[in-house]
Each structure stands twice: as C-alpha cells, then as structure tokens.
Amino acid sequence: MKKILVLEDENAIRSFVVINLRRSGYEPIEASTGEEALKLLEENDDICVALLDVMLPDTDGFEVCRHIRASGSRMGIIMLTALSQEMDKVTGLMTGADDYVTKPFSPAELIARVDALYRRVRGVMDGDEDDIVSGPFVLSPRNRTLDKNGERVRLTQTEYSIIKLFMENPGRALSREEILENVWGPEYKGDLKIVDVNIRRLRMKVEDTATMPEYITTIWGYGYKWGS
Ligand code: CA
C-alpha cells in the first residue's frame, strides 16, 4: 500500500488532497493537528511520504518535519505552504523537507510532486551495487547510507540521491540542471534554487567546515563538483 500522511487542518483542503491521492492509487492517512500526525506516524511505520501543512492550530509544519527527521526517519516530506516568501520555502527545506508546494495548487501539480518523491523514496532497487569509497566517505547503495570516518551521516532520500550522483561522478562538474533532472526527475517543474538549498544542507552534514567546502565545491555560474 502506498501510504501517505496528509497533515492539514482545513477540512476542505484536506478532503480535496485526500480525494486526489486516492484517485491516483495512494492510501491517505489523515491528521488535522501536529500531535495527531506524530501519533499516526508512530502507528504506521510504512508511511513513506508525508504532506505537511505549515500553519496548524497546535504547532507548525516545520516543527513536525524537524520531529520526523530527529527520529531518524528518511520518509519523503512535502511542505504545503500558503506563504510564498522565499524564506519560508528555505526554512522548510532546511528543516529536512524534500519539496514544497505553494497553495493554491492544482491536483495535477500536487500528484506530480508526490509521484516523483514517492519514486525517489522507494528508490529504484539499487540491487547489489558495490559500496563507493571516496576519501573519508563510504556510500552503500544497498543500505542507502553514507558514512564519514566510520560514522553514519544522517541523510534524507534527496540528499542521499545527490551525494550518490556526486560520488559516481568524482571530479566532474555537474550543472544545477543536470542535478535537478537526475535527482528530482525530468518531469519536475520546480525551480533550480531547490538544488542550492539541498547542497547547502548537505554541506553542513558532510563538510568539515560548511563555509569552506572541500568535498562539494562550487563551479561558479554553473553548478557543483565532487572534490576539488
Ligand atoms: Ca493550515
């Protein structure tokens, strides 16, 4: 079952989302408060994508997102935001969300985003690919994990996909468009900034000093490269 958590306090919007998810073959689990959402997540450990509204009666969606990530979960998270300011999107992504959809959204737009993320989270079965070793890093496609100096680096599915792309192409300059297409899929219509935000977050996790990156280096006006 393709279980998806829908956290939204406005009944009309929640029903609209739920109906459209059902039509597309998902099994929505509904919550209208942050507390309820966290309880449902505990009871359903097979939820692989969560849609989190930002403005909630008891807390905000960013807090719920932070909570989910703090528990070590790598489920896909899409923020539903009514706020169109760039900062709010960035805040959402920095707390560990994979994507965001701005209200009002069309069913087609929402489902496209959910489908893309769902595919990414379920992952094309990586099969028996060998570990990739690079400097202090070991990436295991079998377990979808990254270790640095023997310590586990906690990554979201999106971050994992980006780092895998880098480690498979060491020393090669990758354009932001190329990263977006590879990680988010060719049908993704969001903007390129999402790549930069994820890279910024990834650097905080993998670099010794995030402000002086030595592993994920910037190619000005183009994109990024693994290694210098
Ligand atoms: Ca709301």
Side-chain angles (χ1 to χ4, degrees):
M1 265 309 189
K2 295 156 81 175
K3 277 192 193 173
I4 294 203
L5 177 81
V6 181
L7 169 57
E8 167 64 69
D9 59 312
E10 277 174 67
N11 291 335
I13 300 179
R14 197 177 61 246
S15 314
F16 163 82
V17 169
V18 162
I19 287 167
N20 282 287
L21 284 172
R22 281 217 185 96
R23 240 178 235 158
S24 305
Y26 293 98
E27 184 191 341
I29 311 273
E30 301 179 52
S32 54
T33 65
E35 196 187 341
E36 202 185 334
L38 292 174
K39 191 164 160 278
L40 287 168
L41 283 166
E42 242 169 62
E43 292 166 4
N44 298 272
D45 59 3
D46 51 348
I47 291 176
C48 41
V49 171
L51 304 182
L52 307 178
D53 180 31
V54 173
M55 306 284 273
L56 296 163
D58 60 335
T59 178
D60 68 62
F62 300 136
E63 266 315 307
V64 177
C65 179
R66 233 174 256 129
H67 222 277
I68 294 172
R69 290 298 183 227
S71 75
S73 167
R74 303 194 299 166
M75 75 177 59
I77 297 178
I78 298 177
M79 304 304 299
L80 303 179
T81 172
L83 314 160
S84 52
Q85 285 90 357
E86 214 54 34
M87 262 323 288
D88 294 299
K89 294 173 183 172
V90 172
T91 305
L93 294 168
M94 294 306 279
T95 56
D98 295 286
D99 203 354
Y100 57 85
V101 177
T102 307
K103 294 178 192 171
F105 46 78
S106 69
E109 184 188 2
L110 179 71
I111 298 299
R113 299 292 186 86
V114 170
D115 284 345
L117 185 57
Y118 186 84
R119 265 200 304 278
R120 206 166 348 129
V121 171
R122 292 303 291 255
V124 248
M125 290 317 282
D126 279 316
D128 285 329
E129 278 180 70
D130 290 331
D131 289 356
I132 305 174
V133 181
S134 173
F137 298 98
V138 179
L139 180 127
S140 162
R142 212 163 310 137
N143 305 316
R144 295 178 75 81
T145 55
L146 177 75
D147 288 350
K148 180 183 182 186
N149 295 318
E151 302 237 352
R152 184 60 39 88
V153 181
R154 280 186 171 188
L155 300 176
T156 64
Q157 294 296 336
T158 303
E159 291 163 353
Y160 169 82
S161 302
I162 296 173
I163 207 90
K164 181 162 185 272
L165 179 67
F166 277 133
M167 290 178 71
E168 285 172 340
N169 296 279
R172 186 159 88 77
L174 299 167
S175 70
R176 295 152 85 222
E177 288 83 357
E178 205 174 346
I179 297 170
L180 189 76
E181 178 162 345
N182 259 284
V183 174
W184 279 264
E187 67 290 319
Y188 183 80
K189 294 288 177 277
D191 78 79
L192 276 175
K193 211 162 264 169
I194 201 167
V195 173
D196 303 315
V197 176
N198 270 278
I199 297 281
R200 208 189 312 163
R201 197 170 68 198
L202 203 42
R203 276 176 169 159
M204 297 198 295
K205 297 185 177 185
V206 304
E207 298 288 349
D208 301 333
T209 311
T211 49
M212 290 190 291
E214 49 177 317
Y215 302 113
I216 304 173
T217 51
T218 301
I219 312 290
W220 293 106
Y222 185 74
Y224 301 94
K225 187 170 78 167
W226 182 250
S228 46

mmCIF file of all heavy atoms in Angstrom, residues 153-181:
data_model
loop_
_atom_site.group_PDB
_atom_site.id
_atom_site.type_symbol
_atom_site.label_atom_id
_atom_site.label_comp_id
_atom_site.label_asym_id
_atom_site.label_seq_id
_atom_site.Cartn_x
_atom_site.Cartn_y
_atom_site.Cartn_z
ATOM 1 N N VAL A 153 26.266 9.351 8.504
ATOM 2 C CA VAL A 153 25.784 10.712 8.243
ATOM 3 C C VAL A 153 24.300 10.569 7.938
ATOM 4 O O VAL A 153 23.932 9.827 7.032
ATOM 5 C CB VAL A 153 26.501 11.334 7.015
ATOM 6 C CG1 VAL A 153 26.005 12.757 6.780
ATOM 7 C CG2 VAL A 153 28.012 11.314 7.193
ATOM 8 N N ARG A 154 23.456 11.228 8.715
ATOM 9 C CA ARG A 154 22.015 11.097 8.517
ATOM 10 C C ARG A 154 21.567 11.929 7.331
ATOM 11 O O ARG A 154 21.657 13.158 7.355
ATOM 12 C CB ARG A 154 21.264 11.591 9.748
ATOM 13 C CG ARG A 154 21.220 10.578 10.860
ATOM 14 C CD ARG A 154 20.339 11.160 11.922
ATOM 15 N NE ARG A 154 20.042 10.203 12.965
ATOM 16 C CZ ARG A 154 19.163 10.442 13.912
ATOM 17 N NH1 ARG A 154 18.496 11.588 13.922
ATOM 18 N NH2 ARG A 154 18.922 9.552 14.838
ATOM 19 N N LEU A 155 21.065 11.261 6.297
ATOM 20 C CA LEU A 155 20.665 11.964 5.081
ATOM 21 C C LEU A 155 19.201 11.728 4.776
ATOM 22 O O LEU A 155 18.667 10.659 5.065
ATOM 23 C CB LEU A 155 21.488 11.451 3.890
ATOM 24 C CG LEU A 155 22.999 11.593 3.932
ATOM 25 C CD1 LEU A 155 23.610 10.941 2.705
ATOM 26 C CD2 LEU A 155 23.415 13.055 4.007
ATOM 27 N N THR A 156 18.574 12.716 4.154
ATOM 28 C CA THR A 156 17.230 12.490 3.615
ATOM 29 C C THR A 156 17.422 11.719 2.299
ATOM 30 O O THR A 156 18.539 11.616 1.786
ATOM 31 C CB THR A 156 16.509 13.817 3.304
ATOM 32 O OG1 THR A 156 17.232 14.495 2.275
ATOM 33 C CG2 THR A 156 16.425 14.702 4.533
ATOM 34 N N GLN A 157 16.327 11.199 1.742
ATOM 35 C CA GLN A 157 16.422 10.460 0.483
ATOM 36 C C GLN A 157 16.964 11.365 -0.621
ATOM 37 O O GLN A 157 17.741 10.933 -1.472
ATOM 38 C CB GLN A 157 15.041 9.934 0.070
ATOM 39 C CG GLN A 157 14.490 8.899 1.024
ATOM 40 C CD GLN A 157 15.320 7.634 1.069
ATOM 41 O OE1 GLN A 157 16.033 7.306 0.130
ATOM 42 N NE2 GLN A 157 15.237 6.909 2.167
ATOM 43 N N THR A 158 16.548 12.622 -0.608
ATOM 44 C CA THR A 158 17.006 13.567 -1.618
ATOM 45 C C THR A 158 18.510 13.801 -1.481
ATOM 46 O O THR A 158 19.249 13.770 -2.465
ATOM 47 C CB THR A 158 16.252 14.901 -1.483
ATOM 48 O OG1 THR A 158 14.858 14.627 -1.589
ATOM 49 C CG2 THR A 158 16.659 15.892 -2.551
ATOM 50 N N GLU A 159 18.952 14.032 -0.249
ATOM 51 C CA GLU A 159 20.384 14.254 -0.022
ATOM 52 C C GLU A 159 21.188 13.027 -0.430
ATOM 53 O O GLU A 159 22.268 13.141 -1.027
ATOM 54 C CB GLU A 159 20.635 14.569 1.460
ATOM 55 C CG GLU A 159 20.079 15.914 1.877
ATOM 56 C CD GLU A 159 19.951 16.049 3.389
ATOM 57 O OE1 GLU A 159 20.160 15.065 4.111
ATOM 58 O OE2 GLU A 159 19.609 17.155 3.836
ATOM 59 N N TYR A 160 20.660 11.848 -0.113
ATOM 60 C CA TYR A 160 21.348 10.611 -0.491
ATOM 61 C C TYR A 160 21.500 10.545 -2.020
ATOM 62 O O TYR A 160 22.578 10.232 -2.536
ATOM 63 C CB TYR A 160 20.583 9.377 0.022
ATOM 64 C CG TYR A 160 21.110 8.100 -0.577
ATOM 65 C CD1 TYR A 160 22.245 7.479 -0.050
ATOM 66 C CD2 TYR A 160 20.522 7.553 -1.714
ATOM 67 C CE1 TYR A 160 22.767 6.343 -0.633
ATOM 68 C CE2 TYR A 160 21.041 6.415 -2.314
ATOM 69 C CZ TYR A 160 22.164 5.810 -1.766
ATOM 70 O OH TYR A 160 22.675 4.693 -2.367
ATOM 71 N N SER A 161 20.419 10.856 -2.740
ATOM 72 C CA SER A 161 20.477 10.793 -4.203
ATOM 73 C C SER A 161 21.495 11.769 -4.770
ATOM 74 O O SER A 161 22.184 11.470 -5.750
ATOM 75 C CB SER A 161 19.100 11.100 -4.805
ATOM 76 O OG SER A 161 18.147 10.194 -4.321
ATOM 77 N N ILE A 162 21.587 12.952 -4.156
ATOM 78 C CA ILE A 162 22.556 13.945 -4.635
ATOM 79 C C ILE A 162 23.984 13.464 -4.389
ATOM 80 O O ILE A 162 24.828 13.499 -5.287
ATOM 81 C CB ILE A 162 22.338 15.319 -3.947
ATOM 82 C CG1 ILE A 162 20.970 15.892 -4.310
ATOM 83 C CG2 ILE A 162 23.440 16.298 -4.332
ATOM 84 C CD1 ILE A 162 20.595 17.151 -3.543
ATOM 85 N N ILE A 163 24.240 12.982 -3.190
ATOM 86 C CA ILE A 163 25.604 12.573 -2.849
ATOM 87 C C ILE A 163 26.014 11.362 -3.694
ATOM 88 O O ILE A 163 27.165 11.239 -4.108
ATOM 89 C CB ILE A 163 25.746 12.303 -1.324
ATOM 90 C CG1 ILE A 163 27.173 12.542 -0.868
ATOM 91 C CG2 ILE A 163 25.319 10.924 -0.916
ATOM 92 C CD1 ILE A 163 27.467 13.921 -0.427
ATOM 93 N N LYS A 164 25.045 10.498 -3.998
ATOM 94 C CA LYS A 164 25.349 9.328 -4.827
ATOM 95 C C LYS A 164 25.744 9.789 -6.235
ATOM 96 O O LYS A 164 26.722 9.309 -6.807
ATOM 97 C CB LYS A 164 24.135 8.400 -4.885
ATOM 98 C CG LYS A 164 24.366 7.138 -5.713
ATOM 99 C CD LYS A 164 23.331 6.080 -5.377
ATOM 100 C CE LYS A 164 23.599 4.769 -6.105
ATOM 101 N NZ LYS A 164 22.970 4.733 -7.436
ATOM 102 N N LEU A 165 24.986 10.764 -6.753
ATOM 103 C CA LEU A 165 25.303 11.304 -8.080
ATOM 104 C C LEU A 165 26.719 11.885 -8.090
ATOM 105 O O LEU A 165 27.504 11.656 -9.013
ATOM 106 C CB LEU A 165 24.268 12.381 -8.448
ATOM 107 C CG LEU A 165 24.452 13.085 -9.792
ATOM 108 C CD1 LEU A 165 24.241 12.124 -10.951
ATOM 109 C CD2 LEU A 165 23.475 14.266 -9.913
ATOM 110 N N PHE A 166 27.055 12.623 -7.021
ATOM 111 C CA PHE A 166 28.409 13.202 -6.923
ATOM 112 C C PHE A 166 29.468 12.113 -6.884
ATOM 113 O O PHE A 166 30.456 12.158 -7.613
ATOM 114 C CB PHE A 166 28.541 14.039 -5.651
ATOM 115 C CG PHE A 166 28.020 15.444 -5.779
ATOM 116 C CD1 PHE A 166 27.191 15.978 -4.808
ATOM 117 C CD2 PHE A 166 28.387 16.240 -6.857
ATOM 118 C CE1 PHE A 166 26.717 17.281 -4.912
ATOM 119 C CE2 PHE A 166 27.917 17.548 -6.961
ATOM 120 C CZ PHE A 166 27.077 18.059 -5.986
ATOM 121 N N MET A 167 29.251 11.127 -6.015
ATOM 122 C CA MET A 167 30.292 10.122 -5.805
ATOM 123 C C MET A 167 30.456 9.196 -7.014
ATOM 124 O O MET A 167 31.504 8.596 -7.190
ATOM 125 C CB MET A 167 30.026 9.340 -4.509
ATOM 126 C CG MET A 167 30.264 10.217 -3.275
ATOM 127 S SD MET A 167 29.940 9.417 -1.690
ATOM 128 C CE MET A 167 31.311 8.265 -1.585
ATOM 129 N N GLU A 168 29.413 9.114 -7.833
ATOM 130 C CA GLU A 168 29.528 8.331 -9.066
ATOM 131 C C GLU A 168 30.249 9.121 -10.160
ATOM 132 O O GLU A 168 30.639 8.566 -11.178
ATOM 133 C CB GLU A 168 28.124 7.933 -9.574
ATOM 134 C CG GLU A 168 27.495 6.815 -8.761
ATOM 135 C CD GLU A 168 26.042 6.560 -9.122
ATOM 136 O OE1 GLU A 168 25.396 7.463 -9.723
ATOM 137 O OE2 GLU A 168 25.550 5.486 -8.780
ATOM 138 N N ASN A 169 30.352 10.432 -9.945
ATOM 139 C CA ASN A 169 30.998 11.300 -10.937
ATOM 140 C C ASN A 169 32.082 12.164 -10.304
ATOM 141 O O ASN A 169 32.020 13.392 -10.373
ATOM 142 C CB ASN A 169 29.936 12.215 -11.586
ATOM 143 C CG ASN A 169 28.917 11.442 -12.375
ATOM 144 O OD1 ASN A 169 29.147 11.063 -13.508
ATOM 145 N ND2 ASN A 169 27.761 11.190 -11.752
ATOM 146 N N PRO A 170 33.067 11.556 -9.667
ATOM 147 C CA PRO A 170 34.070 12.362 -8.960
ATOM 148 C C PRO A 170 34.858 13.256 -9.916
ATOM 149 O O PRO A 170 35.208 12.834 -11.018
ATOM 150 C CB PRO A 170 34.984 11.298 -8.322
ATOM 151 C CG PRO A 170 34.800 10.074 -9.160
ATOM 152 C CD PRO A 170 33.377 10.117 -9.631
ATOM 153 N N GLY A 171 35.053 14.500 -9.483
ATOM 154 C CA GLY A 171 35.861 15.425 -10.268
ATOM 155 C C GLY A 171 35.171 15.984 -11.501
ATOM 156 O O GLY A 171 35.761 16.772 -12.233
ATOM 157 N N ARG A 172 33.901 15.583 -11.712
ATOM 158 C CA ARG A 172 33.208 16.089 -12.895
ATOM 159 C C ARG A 172 32.265 17.219 -12.488
ATOM 160 O O ARG A 172 31.499 17.076 -11.526
ATOM 161 C CB ARG A 172 32.393 14.963 -13.550
ATOM 162 C CG ARG A 172 31.773 15.376 -14.872
ATOM 163 C CD ARG A 172 31.425 14.151 -15.711
ATOM 164 N NE ARG A 172 30.096 13.605 -15.441
ATOM 165 C CZ ARG A 172 28.973 14.139 -15.898
ATOM 166 N NH1 ARG A 172 28.999 15.264 -16.598
ATOM 167 N NH2 ARG A 172 27.823 13.585 -15.639
ATOM 168 N N ALA A 173 32.324 18.347 -13.232
ATOM 169 C CA ALA A 173 31.419 19.457 -12.947
ATOM 170 C C ALA A 173 30.006 19.068 -13.368
ATOM 171 O O ALA A 173 29.781 18.668 -14.509
ATOM 172 C CB ALA A 173 31.872 20.694 -13.707
ATOM 173 N N LEU A 174 29.068 19.147 -12.431
ATOM 174 C CA LEU A 174 27.667 18.834 -12.724
ATOM 175 C C LEU A 174 26.873 20.134 -12.686
ATOM 176 O O LEU A 174 26.943 20.876 -11.710
ATOM 177 C CB LEU A 174 27.104 17.863 -11.678
ATOM 178 C CG LEU A 174 27.786 16.489 -11.578
ATOM 179 C CD1 LEU A 174 27.350 15.767 -10.310
ATOM 180 C CD2 LEU A 174 27.468 15.650 -12.805
ATOM 181 N N SER A 175 26.125 20.395 -13.760
ATOM 182 C CA SER A 175 25.335 21.626 -13.766
ATOM 183 C C SER A 175 24.152 21.458 -12.831
ATOM 184 O O SER A 175 23.734 20.337 -12.521
ATOM 185 C CB SER A 175 24.853 21.945 -15.179
ATOM 186 O OG SER A 175 23.869 21.017 -15.579
ATOM 187 N N ARG A 176 23.603 22.587 -12.383
ATOM 188 C CA ARG A 176 22.444 22.523 -11.485
ATOM 189 C C ARG A 176 21.278 21.851 -12.198
ATOM 190 O O ARG A 176 20.512 21.107 -11.603
ATOM 191 C CB ARG A 176 22.070 23.929 -11.023
ATOM 192 C CG ARG A 176 23.165 24.562 -10.170
ATOM 193 C CD ARG A 176 23.154 26.061 -10.282
ATOM 194 N NE ARG A 176 22.211 26.668 -9.366
ATOM 195 C CZ ARG A 176 21.409 27.691 -9.691
ATOM 196 N NH1 ARG A 176 21.449 28.182 -10.921
ATOM 197 N NH2 ARG A 176 20.600 28.209 -8.817
ATOM 198 N N GLU A 177 21.132 22.096 -13.511
ATOM 199 C CA GLU A 177 20.056 21.475 -14.287
ATOM 200 C C GLU A 177 20.216 19.956 -14.300
ATOM 201 O O GLU A 177 19.242 19.216 -14.175
ATOM 202 C CB GLU A 177 20.059 21.994 -15.734
ATOM 203 C CG GLU A 177 19.596 23.425 -15.915
ATOM 204 C CD GLU A 177 20.697 24.463 -15.664
ATOM 205 O OE1 GLU A 177 21.832 24.071 -15.290
ATOM 206 O OE2 GLU A 177 20.434 25.662 -15.823
ATOM 207 N N GLU A 178 21.473 19.535 -14.451
ATOM 208 C CA GLU A 178 21.769 18.105 -14.505
ATOM 209 C C GLU A 178 21.432 17.433 -13.164
ATOM 210 O O GLU A 178 20.884 16.337 -13.121
ATOM 211 C CB GLU A 178 23.266 17.964 -14.808
ATOM 212 C CG GLU A 178 23.664 16.673 -15.475
ATOM 213 C CD GLU A 178 25.146 16.696 -15.867
ATOM 214 O OE1 GLU A 178 25.771 17.787 -15.867
ATOM 215 O OE2 GLU A 178 25.670 15.611 -16.149
ATOM 216 N N ILE A 179 21.779 18.115 -12.079
ATOM 217 C CA ILE A 179 21.490 17.577 -10.752
ATOM 218 C C ILE A 179 19.977 17.510 -10.547
ATOM 219 O O ILE A 179 19.440 16.498 -10.095
ATOM 220 C CB ILE A 179 22.153 18.451 -9.645
ATOM 221 C CG1 ILE A 179 23.682 18.402 -9.803
ATOM 222 C CG2 ILE A 179 21.729 17.982 -8.261
ATOM 223 C CD1 ILE A 179 24.433 19.403 -8.938
ATOM 224 N N LEU A 180 19.287 18.583 -10.940
ATOM 225 C CA LEU A 180 17.828 18.627 -10.779
ATOM 226 C C LEU A 180 17.172 17.482 -11.557
ATOM 227 O O LEU A 180 16.323 16.762 -11.032
ATOM 228 C CB LEU A 180 17.279 19.974 -11.275
ATOM 229 C CG LEU A 180 15.801 20.237 -10.968
ATOM 230 C CD1 LEU A 180 15.602 20.601 -9.495
ATOM 231 C CD2 LEU A 180 15.248 21.360 -11.834
ATOM 232 N N GLU A 181 17.596 17.301 -12.788
ATOM 233 C CA GLU A 181 16.988 16.266 -13.630
ATOM 234 C C GLU A 181 17.274 14.859 -13.103
ATOM 235 O O GLU A 181 16.390 14.007 -13.077
ATOM 236 C CB GLU A 181 17.476 16.400 -15.077
ATOM 237 C CG GLU A 181 16.895 15.308 -15.955
ATOM 238 C CD GLU A 181 16.973 15.611 -17.441
ATOM 239 O OE1 GLU A 181 17.211 16.778 -17.799
ATOM 240 O OE2 GLU A 181 16.793 14.662 -18.218
#
